[in-house]
Amino acid sequence: MTLPIFYILAMLSVFCALMVVVARKPVHSVLYLIACFFTIAGHYLMLNAQFLFAVHIIVYAGAIMVLFLFVIMLLNLNLESEPRKSVIARVAAVSTAGLLFLVLLAAVKSAEPVILDTSASGVGLVRHVGLKLYNEYMMPFEVSALLFLTAMVGAVKLGRKEATHS
Amino acid sequence: MALFLEFVIAGLLCIGLFAILGLVLVLMERKVSAYMQIRLGPNRVGPKGALQTLADTLKLLSKEGLTPRGADRFLFNLAPFVAMIGTMLLLAPIPFAKGFQLWDINIGVLYISAVSSLAVISILLAGWASNNKYSLLGAMRSGAQIVSYELSAGLSIIAIVVLTGSLSISDIIASQADGWWIFKGHLPVWIAFVTFIIAVTAETNRAPFDLAEAESELTAGFHTEYSGMKFALFFLAEYINIFIVCAIGAILFFGGWMPFHIGNWEGFNRIMDYIPSSVWFFGKTFFLIFVIMWFRWTFPRLRIDQLLNLEWKYLLPISMVNVLLITLVAILGWHF
């Protein structure tokens, strides 16, 4: 039952990921990216990681992608205003990306497949994630919280209007 | 095969519920507004105007659905369906009566806040694809509004999650068997409830926060270019959203289908149990819907800067402090 669902989801995620790069309008790219995130959330659900599924949708599809859409819609990008790179730059970009893809493929090919029965252990459930986060990864968790606070202070500082000089 | 049949029945029930809720809620809105303004409201079609929305729906069905020139045709036609699908997904974890729930997922409330954050995507799509400045402005406003009010809605949901110690909706309802949280949780739960109601009113784009479709400045906001059934889908999604957020409010603060119980008064509790659980659920939900409609016909519309100030400078700090208070209450066991 789950195998055909997995294949359909996997095909959809690959297709959406490709369309992000291929789509001509930036807004379409962002929408394909949202669809791609949804299919990945579907994979999480199939691994019985329901907490990750919800958080993935809230953070990526709900918040970050909406900001992307905002920026792109406000900038009003279109084909005419898009900067055209020279031929050398394009060739260089394609070849480096292709090389990176080759390296990744080689790394994945030699990896040992690990088959884990996620349905029994409850790995992805809230309790498990919370225990891991607050026991083993306490320090990184706190430090990243501090990082977010810094980012927030920075955003407020940048966003505030300069005080009028008397 | 049995599983497939189950899916089909559940789907048909959802669609039926959508249609009935749409008809009932629109009529209710018009009757409530008429009552508040000392008018009669719809009173021509059917007994006391009960069939008015049916007639309106027929009119919308038979109208031509225009697509403006210069619009992004595919996205323009996709947006109403995205809005509908987003709302439909939200029905899955809602228990309409005792043991009457489609999907008892163990992260119920997180699932709801995840899926309800998708409403903004359909609105942004509709606004952008229409290729109209009013639509785009309305969509942008709506986006800013939904993204910011989601925070305090989420924090007030977390308040109840902290008290219950579970994200599952059936656990949250079970924890209210000896009294609803609004009675058990003292002042912090009251604060959470008030922020929740304000936040969801803003999230569903309703007056006094309906800046996304402020007709005096933006024509009709993001759905200016929509007509016929495509407009009706947006309209329906909006009303179903109101039902769903009120159902969530009823589940979190008023115990969902749980009857009104007082501590260990056996006799009183027994009598309350005779009222069917679905009546309790729909009664509470429709009471909250009435409250939200009451807002609409009482308060004047806010300005966009007032709206954002209210969230970021008042509601968000209050609900953050409130989560700390609730945690204190939960740890020290001050609730009943």
Side-chain angles (χ1 to χ4, degrees):
Chain A
M1 185 62 195
T2 50
L3 205 63
I5 300 179
F6 168 77
Y7 278 121
I8 294 170
L9 262 181
M11 276 194 308
L12 271 177
S13 22
V14 171
F15 170 75
C16 292
L18 278 178
M19 287 308 285
V20 174
V21 189
V22 175
R24 302 198 69 86
K25 286 184 185 169
V27 173
H28 288 192
S29 290
V30 176
L31 290 171
Y32 277 115
L33 197 53
I34 293 174
C36 185
F37 281 142
F38 267 95
T39 53
I40 289 171
H43 285 300
Y44 281 136
L45 203 57
M46 289 193 56
L47 291 171
N48 210 23
Q50 296 160 357
F51 179 69
L52 275 182
F53 155 79
V55 169
H56 187 79
I57 289 184
I58 293 179
V59 173
Y60 288 101
I64 294 184
M65 284 298 110
V66 169
L67 289 184
F68 266 50
L69 271 182
F70 246 75
V71 172
I72 287 174
M73 285 177 184
L74 282 178
L75 286 181
N76 199 16
L77 293 173
N78 42 37
L79 289 179
E80 296 91 64
S81 62
E82 206 175 331
R84 306 288 289 179
K85 293 279 192 307
S86 65
V87 180
I88 301 170
R90 278 193 255 171
V91 169
V94 168
S95 49
T96 41
L99 282 175
L100 180 67
F101 180 66
L102 259 182
V103 170
L104 284 178
L105 203 65
V108 171
K109 198 166 170 289
S110 60
E112 286 272 321
V114 180
I115 296 170
L116 193 68
D117 184 19
T118 46
S119 57
S121 57
V123 166
L125 301 187
V126 191
R127 175 175 298 277
H128 201 89
V129 173
L131 283 176
K132 269 266 189 275
L133 209 57
Y134 284 96
N135 285 328
E136 269 175 58
Y137 301 101
M138 188 67 192
M139 191 60 197
F141 182 72
E142 297 277 321
V143 171
S144 59
L146 209 65
L147 193 70
F148 281 124
L149 191 68
T150 327
M152 255 165 76
V153 171
V156 170
K157 178 79 186 73
L158 285 176
R160 240 177 67 178
K161 288 196 191 95
E162 286 292 320
T164 46
H165 300 288
S166 53
Chain B
M1 195 60 211
L3 189 71
F4 180 71
L5 203 66
E6 226 173 87
F7 280 158
V8 170
I9 292 172
L12 284 179
L13 281 178
C14 282
I15 294 171
L17 183 76
F18 263 51
I20 294 169
L21 274 180
L23 295 179
V24 169
L25 287 176
V26 174
L27 184 74
M28 180 176 163
E29 169 100 86
R30 295 180 68 176
K31 281 290 186 189
V32 168
S33 77
Y35 174 71
M36 302 230 167
Q37 297 166 350
I38 324 179
R39 295 184 284 118
L40 283 176
N43 59 1
R44 285 290 178 268
V45 190
K48 298 216 167 205
L51 298 177
Q52 181 67 50
T53 32
L54 202 64
D56 289 346
T57 315
L58 278 178
K59 184 200 80 177
L60 282 171
L61 264 174
S62 59
K63 269 174 101 169
E64 186 188 359
L66 287 171
T67 307
R69 194 179 296 158
D72 190 318
R73 191 167 280 276
F74 176 64
L75 293 185
F76 183 82
N77 290 320
L78 183 72
F81 294 102
V82 174
M84 273 316 264
I85 291 168
T87 350
M88 224 170 228
L89 285 175
L90 280 174
L91 282 182
I94 290 182
F96 293 96
K98 192 174 184 176
F100 196 85
Q101 191 177 11
L102 279 179
W103 189 25
D104 188 12
I105 186 174
N106 67 1
I107 44 150
V109 287
L110 255 188
Y111 171 86
I112 283 172
S113 43
V115 176
S116 63
S117 64
L118 298 180
V120 62
I121 290 178
S122 73
I123 290 177
L124 279 177
L125 268 188
W128 184 80
S130 302
N131 197 17
N132 173 326
K133 60 187 171 192
Y134 296 124
S135 301
L136 189 61
L137 272 176
M140 290 292 165
R141 279 183 174 186
S142 162
Q145 183 177 331
I146 293 178
V147 167
S148 35
Y149 276 86
E150 223 164 53
L151 294 171
S152 40
L155 282 174
S156 46
I157 290 175
I158 282 177
I160 297 299
V161 171
V162 167
L163 282 174
T164 315
S166 169
L167 289 165
S168 149
I169 285 184
S170 49
D171 285 353
I172 288 177
I173 293 177
S175 74
Q176 305 183 57
D178 54 344
W180 306 338
W181 278 122
I182 196 103
F183 300 125
K184 287 202 295 180
H186 309 301
L187 191 66
V189 173
W190 274 94
I191 298 174
F193 176 65
V194 172
T195 31
F196 179 80
I197 283 288
I198 296 176
V200 297
T201 315
E203 251 190 88
T204 45
N205 282 328
R206 283 191 55 92
F209 305 107
D210 62 340
L211 287 147
E213 43 202 272
E215 57 268 40
S216 52
E217 30 193 305
L218 288 181
T219 323
F222 66 91
H223 57 62
T224 305
E225 295 289 356
Y226 283 88
S227 60
M229 211 48 212
K230 282 182 246 167
F231 164 72
L233 282 181
F234 272 122
F235 201 58
L236 186 61
E238 194 185 316
Y239 274 95
I240 308 287
N241 258 328
I242 295 165
F243 172 79
I244 286 168
V245 295
C246 288
I248 307 294
I251 288 164
L252 293 175
F253 299 97
F254 295 92
W257 49 261
M258 196 57 89
F260 181 62
H261 284 171
I262 300 180
N264 43 14
W265 293 14
E266 283 298 327
F268 180 77
N269 292 352
R270 198 71 56 77
I271 292 170
M272 284 296 160
D273 283 341
Y274 277 114
I275 302 175
S277 54
S278 56
V279 171
W280 280 108
F281 174 77
F282 280 100
K284 291 166 191 174
T285 307
F286 272 87
F287 169 72
L288 287 182
I289 293 173
F290 173 74
V291 169
I292 282 187
M293 287 182 177
W294 190 1
F295 282 173
R296 172 162 181 180
W297 302 104
T298 310
F299 297 118
R301 182 181 295 137
L302 272 71
R303 235 175 28 227
I304 183 79
D305 58 322
Q306 291 170 332
L307 175 106
L308 293 176
N309 273 346
L310 175 70
E311 164 63 18
W312 291 101
K313 292 192 181 162
Y314 299 98
L315 281 187
L316 191 60
I318 288 174
S319 39
M320 276 178 170
V321 172
N322 193 41
V323 167
L324 286 182
L325 260 179
I326 290 261
T327 320
L328 200 70
V329 168
I331 290 173
L332 296 178
W334 282 347
H335 57 86
F336 294 117

